[in-house]
Amino acid sequence: MFAARQVSQSVFGAAQRRAFSATSNNLSKVAVLGAAGGIGQPLSLLLKLNPRVTELALYDIKGAPGVAADISHINTKSTVKGYDPTPEGVRECLTGAEIVLIPAGVPRKPGMTRDDLFNTNASIVRDLAKHAAASCPDANILIISNPVNSTVPITAEVFKAAGVYDPKRLFGVTTLDVVRASRFISQLKSTDPANENITVVGGHSGATIVPLLSQAGYSLEGAEKDEYIKRVQFGGDEVVQAKGGAGSATLSMAMAGARFAESLLKAAQGEKGVIEPTYVDSPLYKDQGVTYFASQVELGPNGVEKIHPVGKVTEFEQGLLDVCLKDLKTNIEKGEKWVKENPGN
Ligand SMILES: NC(=O)c1ccc[n+]([C@@H]2O[C@H](COP(=O)([O-])OP(=O)(O)OC[C@H]3O[C@@H](n4cnc5c(N)ncnc54)[C@H](O)[C@@H]3O)[C@@H](O)[C@H]2O)c1
Ligand SMILES: O=C(O)C[C@H](O)C(=O)O
């Protein structure tokens, strides 16, 4: 059998473990809301293997105590607890959390867009955001539930209404787009994907996902370029189709979510120069009415440290960005309008 120490040693390298032991006094409670789902379970597993996490708190409307009991047998130091689906349960789960990951909600089926999930997921995210605003207003909130372009503004409005909004602490998780863009170029160029880090900006759906290949020194042409862009923008659909109605990306998303949480923990524990692309309250295109935008973001002890500008792009990439901004504005306004009209209880 593969011992947990071996797993954590292979997932987390020697340098990382050394860095961690230098900061091992840090206590980091990480909460997962939607922990019994397709993403929630492998994400919780990866967080249990992360030596930076000291307490793992799992919540779901069903099954969280079972997932917690299972994961808690893994021989890493962190404690794990699954909470009952009650107001007290979610409150206890969130109290003291430094990071809250939210993959709660329904996934797509073939033929659906992420926006088709809005009617169901908007209220799930709104209600969980209310709990977070009340129980852990200073936590970093990581939104995975789709449509991310709209669920992040919904969360922001809930925190604003509660008087606890800190734009530095709210993140739409777009890491999977970067993971895909990097993997797909490595397949075309026969390079090691571990050495690829393609910047992806914009948002997290179709045309709002804009990979900036030129910034990595790549220039694709013709059909190869079109196919690459389409694959990055519609990589999620590839998985939805392949799963044939059984959901969307879960395992790759768990890896991406765990990577983003790890980056935040590293930054919180004093590591400098930690940069991840993420969808945040951003000044970059506010003059065009686009108030949230994903670009490279430097993370620090207080969440967002510095939002990097998009940088130099080709004329072709600028064309993609123009389409992205138009769609994003619509997605953001939809979320903000809905939550104003549906403030919940
Ligand atoms: N950001 C991204 O890159 C990305 C990638 C993949 C999937 N997603 C999105 O993540 C979401 C979850 O996907 P999944 O495959 O894990 O779905 P899933 O149906 O397998 O799991 C969702 C879980 O959320 C739980 N849940 C529902 N309502 C809840 C509530 N009010 N409180 C707590 N838990 C609740 C369900 O019980 C379930 O266990 C979907 O919206 C999907 O579109 C986002
Ligand atoms: O495609 C989806 O619906 C899930 C997710 O957003 C993804 O990019 O895989």
Side-chain angles (χ1 to χ4, degrees), residues 39 106-109 112-115 117 144-148 173 176-177 180 204-206 209 232-240 247-250 252-253:
I39 296 168
V106 292
R108 280 197 285 167
K109 291 189 188 309
M112 290 172 80
T113 66
R114 291 181 185 81
D115 194 49
L117 303 172
I144 295 173
S145 316
N146 273 315
V148 167
V173 182
L176 183 54
D177 301 317
R180 285 184 178 136
H204 180 67
S205 71
I209 301 171
V232 174
Q233 292 188 327
F234 295 92
D237 296 63
E238 201 176 293
V239 182
V240 170
S248 55
T250 53
S252 49
M253 180 60 232

Side-chain angles (χ1 to χ4, degrees), residues 28 30 50 52-53 98-99 261-270:
S28 295
V30 177
N50 187 332
R52 294 180 198 275
V53 177
E98 183 181 324
I99 293 181
E262 159 71 355
S263 293
L264 268 174
L265 288 168
K266 270 190 202 163
Q269 291 169 2

Side-chain angles (χ1 to χ4, degrees), residues 2-344:
F2 203 23
R5 190 152 57 91
Q6 283 174 297
V7 180
S8 68
Q9 279 174 352
S10 58
V11 176
F12 301 99
Q16 188 187 47
R17 273 178 280 114
R18 271 197 305 279
F20 172 71
S21 62
T23 58
S24 56
N25 288 333
N26 287 296
L27 295 177
S28 295
K29 177 173 177 180
V30 177
V32 181
L33 311 183
I39 296 168
Q41 293 200 37
L43 175 59
S44 302
L45 168 66
L46 292 173
L47 293 167
K48 175 64 177 139
L49 298 178
N50 187 332
R52 294 180 198 275
V53 177
T54 54
E55 185 180 347
L56 192 53
L58 308 183
Y59 177 79
D60 200 295
I61 48 168
K62 58 173 187 338
V67 175
D70 187 351
I71 286 178
S72 72
H73 289 188
I74 293 171
N75 59 330
T76 56
K77 277 190 189 161
S78 50
T79 58
V80 188
K81 184 166 176 192
Y83 293 84
D84 291 328
T86 59
E88 299 72 42
V90 68
R91 191 161 52 239
E92 275 178 43
C93 173
L94 289 167
T95 301
E98 183 181 324
I99 293 181
V100 179
L101 292 123
I102 308 187
V106 292
R108 280 197 285 167
K109 291 189 188 309
M112 290 172 80
T113 66
R114 291 181 185 81
D115 194 49
D116 292 335
L117 303 172
F118 186 99
N119 288 343
T120 309
N121 288 352
S123 54
I124 292 175
V125 171
R126 176 200 62 199
D127 294 347
L128 291 172
K130 281 189 182 193
H131 283 296
S135 299
C136 55
D138 299 327
N140 294 299
I141 310 293
L142 279 52
I143 304 291
I144 295 173
S145 316
N146 273 315
V148 167
N149 294 355
S150 305
T151 48
V152 168
I154 287 172
T155 305
E157 292 306 312
V158 169
F159 272 66
K160 284 179 198 169
V164 293
Y165 180 54
D166 179 354
K168 293 183 187 309
R169 298 278 191 191
L170 176 61
F171 306 88
V173 182
T174 56
T175 322
L176 183 54
D177 301 317
V178 177
V179 167
R180 285 184 178 136
S182 304
R183 179 60 185 143
F184 298 164
I185 195 69
S186 82
Q187 287 173 318
L188 285 178
K189 298 292 180 187
S190 302
T191 56
D192 181 348
N195 295 331
E196 299 292 357
N197 195 12
I198 304 300
T199 298
V200 183
V201 298
H204 180 67
S205 71
T208 69
I209 301 171
V210 180
L212 301 176
L213 268 185
S214 66
Q215 294 186 356
Y218 288 118
S219 162
L220 301 178
E221 297 301 332
E224 193 176 47
K225 176 168 80 177
D226 294 343
E227 279 160 24
Y228 174 80
I229 300 293
K230 181 157 186 266
R231 197 165 179 220
V232 174
Q233 292 188 327
F234 295 92
D237 296 63
E238 201 176 293
V239 182
V240 170
Q241 290 297 335
K243 291 197 175 180
S248 55
T250 53
L251 304 173
S252 49
M253 180 60 232
M255 174 271 169
R259 167 176 144 177
F260 192 75
E262 159 71 355
S263 293
L264 268 174
L265 288 168
K266 270 190 202 163
Q269 291 169 2
E271 199 167 315
K272 301 281 176 220
V274 181
I275 296 179
E276 287 282 359
T278 169
Y279 182 69
V280 291
D281 187 326
S282 170
L284 296 183
Y285 295 99
K286 271 202 172 141
D287 60 344
Q288 297 182 44
V290 178
T291 43
Y292 299 84
F293 190 82
S295 67
Q296 298 276 50
V297 171
E298 191 170 333
L299 304 171
N302 302 312
V304 172
E305 190 80 28
K306 183 175 178 209
I307 295 173
H308 289 257
V310 164
K312 201 160 171 256
V313 297
T314 63
E315 206 180 320
F316 172 77
E317 288 165 344
Q318 186 56 52
L320 295 178
L321 261 176
D322 293 340
V323 178
C324 155
L325 290 170
K326 201 167 144 284
D327 282 9
L328 260 188
K329 190 166 184 291
T330 307
N331 297 158
I332 293 164
E333 285 171 357
K334 180 173 177 177
E336 290 177 340
K337 181 169 184 285
W338 178 87
V339 76
K340 280 194 180 99
E341 290 169 357
N342 300 275

